[in-house]
Amino acid sequence: MKPEAVSPLLVRKYNQPVPRYTSYPTVPYWQEGINVDAWKDVFRETFHQENHTQGISLYIHLPFCESLCTYCGCNKKITTNHSVEEEYLLAIAKEWKLYRKLMQQTPVIRELHLGGGTPTFFSPRNLQRLLDSILRDSIVHPQHAFSIEGHPNNTTPAHLKVLFEAGFRRISYGVQDLDPEVQRVINRVQPFERVQEATEAARDAGFTSVNFDLIYGLPLQTLESIENTIGAVIKLRPDRIAFYSYAHVPWTSRSQRLFDESHLPSPEEKILLYLKGKELLIAAGYEDIGMDHFALPGDELARARAEGRLHRNFMGYTTQDTGLLLGLGVSSISDAGGAYAQNAKTLHDYYADINKGVLSVKKGYFLNEEDRVFRKYILDIACRGAARFRSDDAALLRQYSFPLLQPLSEDGLLLWNEQGLQLTGPGYQFLRNVCAAFDLHLLRGAASGNGTGRFSKAI
């Protein structure tokens, strides 16, 4: 089955800067220097509500990489000096103890994700130390989901053995693209054979879910190169594939300034890259989960979507919705339902705070009732492609959202009335634009002249 065609006119019309909606309100609307004591209160209350029912989610940011991938917008530290592992592990252990004091009971860990950076930069021994420091005084939920981001070039059987024994069953490899010229220009050279070896090693170690991250819209990519990359990837049959749009944000990611922008595909070319990739993935038996994610029918992500259990947070789409996500490490983000908190973005500031025995929370946001309601609309659209409207919200919806839904409807992207909306097939290609119709912070900012320039374009 081929994806439904998307008009180049619609691509040009809707290729505007909009958020990716891993949170609402989105990070640019958070406040610097939030009240840390107030954050502690919200965290403590949410923890006690969630711990014995759902359990909690835990994200640990491991920022180090040995080389710079020039497309990357993540918080990272480039070094080949592995002695940095020791100081960072000590800081994570200290931060965890600070949160453990707030918990006042044994945490039940439902979800654990190691992200980066390159988590497999750390030696197997140090990864084991990290996990032991977290898990030895925790309860692992019987339905836990533990995952890690790995680099095909440095993930070893020893890494995989340590992770498997700690309960990890899913690994996500950053493949991005398999064309040698594209790999050269983004400074991420990893031959197909190495990706194949890493994939087979994970399965041999007992991992039941292997994810590949791919990117479309990179410099020098063509329809032919995308077709070759997807064709090679399909041979390895990863359980999930995240097929991300390259976010060109050189104003925040200095490494992207190294690109010759004439080598980037146009918006019209970029959507064709995506549609070709999607066509090949669907033909190979993958299901479109939404917002750049695909999964085999038997994968838990596909089952969660079919059963209406899909959730979205800072880690992307997930099957877990615990109500509390705690982020540890530099730049990590926590979500306590009623509040967000982000750690210091530099190692210097993060270490300084943690070594003083205080949380390194520098930025965040406390949600009001309006935020909670419109966050649910955005999550429902992102995870289920539909939303039901509350009559209590009619005035705000008529003022901000409905005027934007009408042109989206006229362009065939959704069906709607004052009771709710449902995306059409083509509408899924513009999911971020539909979500933006419910982003009151974005819409009020645009009306006041404080607009969307801080976000990447939708396509």
Side-chain angles (χ1 to χ4, degrees):
M1 180 179 69
K2 287 189 175 184
E4 297 187 49
V6 177
S7 162
L9 292 175
L10 292 183
V11 171
R12 283 193 289 270
K13 179 177 180 178
Y14 290 109
N15 189 35
Q16 304 299 320
V18 287
R20 291 180 182 267
Y21 294 110
T22 54
S23 74
Y24 180 77
T26 55
V27 175
Y29 295 102
W30 297 3
Q31 292 119 17
E32 300 286 349
I34 67 163
N35 186 319
V36 179
D37 288 334
W39 159 248
K40 289 179 181 178
D41 290 340
V42 174
F43 173 86
R44 190 184 292 112
E45 179 182 356
T46 306
F47 175 82
H48 289 147
Q49 289 172 351
E50 300 292 333
N51 192 50
H52 287 313
T53 53
Q54 301 284 346
I56 69 169
S57 295
L58 189 61
Y59 171 80
I60 305 176
H61 191 73
L62 302 175
F64 303 109
C65 299
E66 287 193 339
S67 62
L68 176 67
C69 301
T70 49
Y71 65 86
C72 181
C74 299
N75 184 291
K76 68 272 186 186
K77 177 70 174 178
I78 309 302
T79 181
T80 57
N81 176 13
H82 283 261
S83 67
V84 298
E85 296 178 34
E86 181 69 22
E87 184 178 13
Y88 197 75
L89 290 178
L90 291 174
I92 292 286
K94 290 176 183 178
E95 185 181 13
W96 176 241
K97 287 180 180 177
L98 292 173
Y99 276 107
R100 286 288 284 109
K101 288 179 182 177
L102 296 176
M103 294 175 188
Q104 297 182 333
Q105 58 183 250
T106 304
V108 179
I109 299 181
R110 179 74 173 263
E111 184 179 28
L112 171 59
H113 184 76
L114 305 183
T118 306
T120 45
F121 172 98
F122 285 72
S123 69
R125 175 178 172 274
N126 278 337
L127 277 184
Q128 183 158 19
R129 281 180 57 198
L130 169 65
L131 295 169
D132 285 348
S133 71
I134 300 294
L135 298 178
R136 65 177 167 231
D137 61 348
S138 303
I139 298 169
V140 175
H141 194 284
Q143 295 175 313
H144 67 277
F146 289 2
S147 57
I148 183 172
E149 299 167 14
H151 195 312
N153 285 352
N154 67 13
T155 301
T156 66
H159 283 112
L160 296 167
K161 182 175 186 293
V162 164
L163 293 162
F164 182 84
E165 291 177 350
F168 285 70
R169 295 296 181 269
R170 186 165 74 84
I171 188 165
S172 180
Y173 286 126
V175 176
Q176 320 313 356
D177 191 280
L178 290 171
D179 182 85
E181 277 302 292
V182 176
Q183 289 187 354
R184 179 189 60 78
V185 78
I186 66 174
N187 197 39
R188 191 181 180 94
V189 177
Q190 48 192 20
F192 172 77
E193 292 74 18
R194 184 67 201 104
V195 176
Q196 182 176 21
E197 290 170 6
T199 301
E200 292 172 351
R203 288 174 170 152
D204 289 344
F207 282 69
T208 55
S209 182
V210 176
N211 176 87
F212 285 179
D213 285 349
L214 305 176
I215 298 177
Y216 67 93
L218 291 170
L220 303 182
Q221 275 184 333
T222 64
L223 278 173
E224 182 181 5
S225 71
I226 279 286
E227 191 165 357
N228 290 338
T229 289
I230 298 292
V233 162
I234 287 170
K235 292 178 183 177
L236 300 181
R237 209 67 178 162
D239 302 272
R240 301 179 189 178
I241 294 172
F243 192 32
Y244 292 117
S245 168
Y246 166 62
H248 191 58
V249 286
W251 55 90
T252 61
S253 182
R254 292 182 180 180
S255 61
Q256 294 182 355
R257 299 173 193 171
L258 300 173
F259 289 155
D260 182 339
E261 294 196 2
S262 68
H263 291 162
L264 293 172
S266 69
E268 292 83 1
E269 291 169 332
K270 192 174 179 183
I271 192 65
L272 291 176
L273 297 177
Y274 173 74
L275 291 173
K276 172 56 70 175
K278 179 176 178 177
E279 175 187 339
L280 294 170
L281 291 172
I282 290 176
Y286 288 87
E287 294 185 2
D288 186 356
I289 302 301
M291 213 176 290
D292 308 333
H293 283 64
F294 299 83
L296 292 174
D299 186 84
E300 178 62 20
L301 203 66
R303 293 200 301 270
R305 180 178 182 267
E307 296 166 6
R309 296 185 289 107
L310 199 62
H311 182 59
R312 185 167 176 83
N313 60 23
F314 295 103
M315 295 179 281
Y317 283 112
T318 174
T319 61
Q320 308 291 331
D321 181 9
T322 61
L324 176 61
L325 167 63
L326 172 60
L328 302 178
V330 62
S331 78
S332 282
I333 293 175
S334 298
D335 177 358
Y340 300 115
Q342 183 173 30
N343 281 351
K345 292 184 179 180
T346 69
L347 284 170
H348 177 272
D349 291 344
Y350 173 70
Y351 287 149
D353 290 333
I354 297 301
N355 289 330
K356 285 188 293 188
V358 299
L359 295 179
S360 192
V361 171
K362 299 298 186 185
K363 185 175 184 176
Y365 189 90
F366 296 96
L367 284 77
N368 58 33
E369 181 60 22
E370 177 188 287
D371 294 324
R372 292 172 186 265
V373 169
F374 279 77
R375 176 175 63 179
K376 186 176 187 307
Y377 289 145
I378 289 171
L379 275 175
D380 284 346
I381 293 164
C383 296
R384 284 167 275 285
R388 297 295 297 171
F389 305 142
R390 303 189 325 164
S391 58
D392 290 351
D393 307 322
L396 285 170
L397 290 167
R398 287 171 183 153
Q399 181 179 359
Y400 292 104
S401 303
F402 291 170
L404 298 177
L405 296 185
Q406 187 55 36
L408 289 162
S409 175
E410 291 169 357
D411 287 330
L413 305 182
L414 55 84
L415 303 172
W416 78 283
N417 56 33
E418 294 208 356
Q419 283 71 54
L421 71 78
Q422 174 71 55
L423 292 182
T424 63
Y428 279 91
Q429 315 303 326
F430 301 94
L431 197 52
R432 290 165 66 182
N433 302 87
V434 180
C435 290
F438 298 86
D439 187 340
L440 301 192
H441 292 266
L442 182 72
L443 299 174
R444 287 167 177 153
S448 65
N450 182 17
T452 59
R454 66 196 81 184
F455 303 112
S456 64
K457 289 189 175 181
I459 298 166

